[in-house]
Amino acid sequence: GQPLAYFLLDIRERERMSRLFLFCAMLFLATACSGELPGSLAGQNAAREQDRPPNLPPRWYFAEFLTRLDSLADPQAQTALADSFMNYAARFGFPLSEDTLAHFLYRGNPAFPFSVAGDFNGWQPNRDVFSRAAQTNLYYLSKTFPREARLDYKFVLNNNWILDPLNPHTVTGGFGPNSELAMPDYLQPREINYDPSIPHGQVVLHTFYSSILNNSRTVRVYLPPGYQQDTLSYPSLYVQDGGEYVQLGSMVNVLDNLLAADRIRPIIAVFVDPVNRNQEYWLNDNYVSMLINELIPFIESQYRCKPQPQHRGMMGASLGGVISLYAAFRHPEVFGIAGGQSSAIRINNNAIMQLYNNAPRKDIRLYLDWGTFESLQLLHHQFIPVLQSKGYPLTYNEYHEGHSWGNWRAHIDELLITFWEVTVAGIEPLNR
């Protein structure tokens, strides 16, 4: 009974609609609770008030709690109030968020200095320091973030970096797990999860030797569901930091889920591991030559890939993003598609920006995204007008996140949909 356009909405769009409905319902209840209530609601509200711990303010705003705490002279009374507050706050999860405020909380007797380091302060310890709540063993740090923000962080106790003991939500990055702060309007990327009910592609493992670089590397090839049963040729995408995109970015799950939802056309994804990452990705022509003259011929001799540049892409994150932009610029006859997530465009004095600015437009389609909590944000704001002035087909997105796999994994779908979206005859693609 739903119109066709509804079914074209992706998972996140439907979730946004549901959250909007929930928000409106909560807004109604909050408004109702502030005035006269119908009898049934009044009874429910009275029951809720009875459930509250004793001696609590009528609403648990953190600032009100601190004020009440400071008004108590007895340390035991302060501790009792802190216990009541933490028991109540545990219903909502930690860090405790109130609109755009996030309260990082810790119970115990920490060794000092005691601080929070994360995406929001460049991972600098001792910049955001905890305060003690009155004479209790509750410590807190309050910060303001956009309601859609998602950020990695850790606690730093006397130079020891630990996960937030109160927060079970973590995201694994290149240096291990970090605690995750998700503000109220952040939508978790459900497309990264494994779904046992849908068809799954096949991942084939290769050890690939390069004569140009005189080394061997792991290459994983994702073949879409149905590949073994047909004779079709497919677009291909060469993914830098391939092992991390598989393990930390859950990109195989993203591909499977988007294909099952009919959001993208089937592609072959080639996940390429680096050997010497900094050297290879640092605008290295020998590395690009290895891809073009050795790896691509090998892949296309083994698998049914479309050989035209408009069907062959390259992508990566950070340095992997900048080498993708570089390879496509140098060789648009090979790569007609390039995507970069948080691309390290500052290297070599913004050399990639100068390359694109000082040359006529190449026949390349581009995708870029980055976080507002990255030092790369300003450079991307400078790079986008350069690309637009040259007339590049370009999609770009900015998110309230940091330089992390928690950010990149959540937006792989946007990149894939940009280049390989399935469209229905007579219906325009959704404005993303």
Side-chain angles (χ1 to χ4, degrees), residues 294-418:
E294 294 181 321
L295 182 59
I296 290 175
F298 169 76
I299 294 297
E300 296 188 355
S301 71
Q302 301 289 315
Y303 304 102
R304 301 190 306 273
C305 302
K306 293 184 176 182
Q308 301 86 355
Q310 65 267 29
H311 297 301
R312 191 187 295 117
M314 189 168 165
M315 68 165 287
S318 193
L319 281 173
V322 80
I323 192 63
S324 299
L325 297 172
Y326 181 75
F329 178 88
R330 288 295 196 197
H331 296 279
E333 77 284 359
V334 178
F335 297 106
I337 293 170
Q341 297 190 279
S342 303
S343 303
I345 55 181
R346 68 158 59 91
I347 66 172
N348 290 8
N349 296 318
N350 310 334
I352 195 70
M353 194 184 313
Q354 297 175 39
L355 283 175
Y356 276 84
N357 186 51
N358 295 334
R361 180 176 67 85
K362 307 296 180 73
D363 191 12
I364 314 167
R365 291 185 293 153
L366 300 172
Y367 173 92
L368 294 171
D369 66 36
W370 63 92
T372 59
F373 290 89
E374 297 189 63
S375 59
L376 295 163
Q377 181 189 19
L378 179 59
L379 287 176
H380 278 84
H381 288 179
Q382 297 169 359
F383 192 27
I384 295 303
V386 169
L387 299 174
Q388 290 173 328
S389 69
K390 295 293 181 178
Y392 280 96
L394 170 66
T395 298
Y396 64 93
N397 291 305
E398 180 177 88
Y399 302 101
H400 294 304
E401 303 194 49
H403 196 85
S404 72
W405 280 105
N407 174 7
W408 303 328
R409 70 178 188 174
H411 308 299
I412 296 169
D413 62 330
E414 306 287 346
L415 184 152
L416 295 171
I417 290 169
T418 292

Side-chain angles (χ1 to χ4, degrees), residues 62-359:
F62 190 66
E64 295 177 6
F65 158 69
L66 292 179
T67 299
R68 180 69 180 275
L69 195 66
D70 287 338
S71 71
L72 300 175
D74 182 8
Q76 291 185 342
Q78 291 179 349
T79 296
L81 184 62
D83 291 341
S84 296
F85 171 78
M86 292 298 287
N87 289 335
Y88 183 82
R91 304 178 191 180
F92 307 100
F94 300 102
L96 182 65
S97 61
E98 297 176 328
D99 192 40
T100 60
L101 276 173
H103 307 292
F104 299 91
L105 302 171
Y106 180 85
R107 296 299 296 274
N109 297 298
F112 281 87
F114 183 28
S115 62
V116 180
D119 289 328
F120 45 85
N121 59 18
W123 292 92
Q124 296 298 311
N126 306 326
R127 178 174 294 181
D128 288 310
V129 179
F130 277 88
S131 297
R132 184 181 180 185
Q135 300 179 64
T136 70
N137 68 348
L138 173 62
Y139 291 80
Y140 69 92
L141 170 69
S142 301
K143 291 187 71 68
T144 300
F145 302 109
R147 287 181 58 92
E148 305 84 9
R150 192 222 63 86
L151 299 162
D152 288 17
Y153 72 95
K154 274 184 174 174
F155 289 172
V156 186
L157 293 83
N158 194 26
N159 298 320
N160 294 315
W161 297 63
I162 66 167
L163 297 172
D164 182 345
L166 297 175
N167 181 4
H169 302 291
T170 62
V171 175
T172 301
F175 299 97
N178 295 315
S179 294
E180 178 183 65
L181 165 66
M183 293 298 285
D185 288 348
Y186 178 75
L187 300 179
Q188 293 290 342
R190 295 196 291 174
E191 71 277 1
I192 69 174
N193 298 323
Y194 180 81
D195 184 348
S197 69
I198 64 172
H200 297 281
Q202 177 187 7
V203 177
V204 183
L205 192 67
H206 295 275
T207 298
F208 178 76
Y209 174 76
S210 167
S211 297
I212 294 174
L213 299 177
N214 191 29
N215 57 31
S216 297
R217 71 191 64 236
T218 298
V219 175
R220 299 168 179 85
V221 180
Y222 171 88
L223 304 175
Y227 176 88
Q228 303 294 352
Q229 288 74 47
D230 65 41
T231 58
L232 301 175
S233 294
Y234 294 87
S236 57
L237 176 63
Y238 289 77
V239 184
Q240 309 310 298
D241 288 312
E244 293 197 334
Y245 263 99
V246 171
Q247 296 162 14
L248 304 181
S250 301
M251 189 167 172
V252 170
N253 291 344
V254 175
L255 286 161
D256 285 343
N257 286 322
L258 292 182
L259 287 168
D262 203 26
R263 294 307 313 277
I264 62 171
R265 301 190 298 278
I267 69 168
I268 293 173
V270 183
F271 297 96
V272 187
D273 282 4
V275 175
N276 186 331
R277 186 176 186 271
N278 284 352
Q279 183 184 79
E280 291 176 347
Y281 292 174
W282 207 278
L283 309 183
N284 188 324
D285 288 305
N286 286 334
Y287 179 76
V288 174
S289 178
M290 179 275 293
L291 293 175
I292 293 172
N293 297 308
E294 294 181 321
L295 182 59
I296 290 175
F298 169 76
I299 294 297
E300 296 188 355
S301 71
Q302 301 289 315
Y303 304 102
R304 301 190 306 273
C305 302
K306 293 184 176 182
Q308 301 86 355
Q310 65 267 29
H311 297 301
R312 191 187 295 117
M314 189 168 165
M315 68 165 287
S318 193
L319 281 173
V322 80
I323 192 63
S324 299
L325 297 172
Y326 181 75
F329 178 88
R330 288 295 196 197
H331 296 279
E333 77 284 359
V334 178
F335 297 106
I337 293 170
Q341 297 190 279
S342 303
S343 303
I345 55 181
R346 68 158 59 91
I347 66 172
N348 290 8
N349 296 318
N350 310 334
I352 195 70
M353 194 184 313
Q354 297 175 39
L355 283 175
Y356 276 84
N357 186 51
N358 295 334

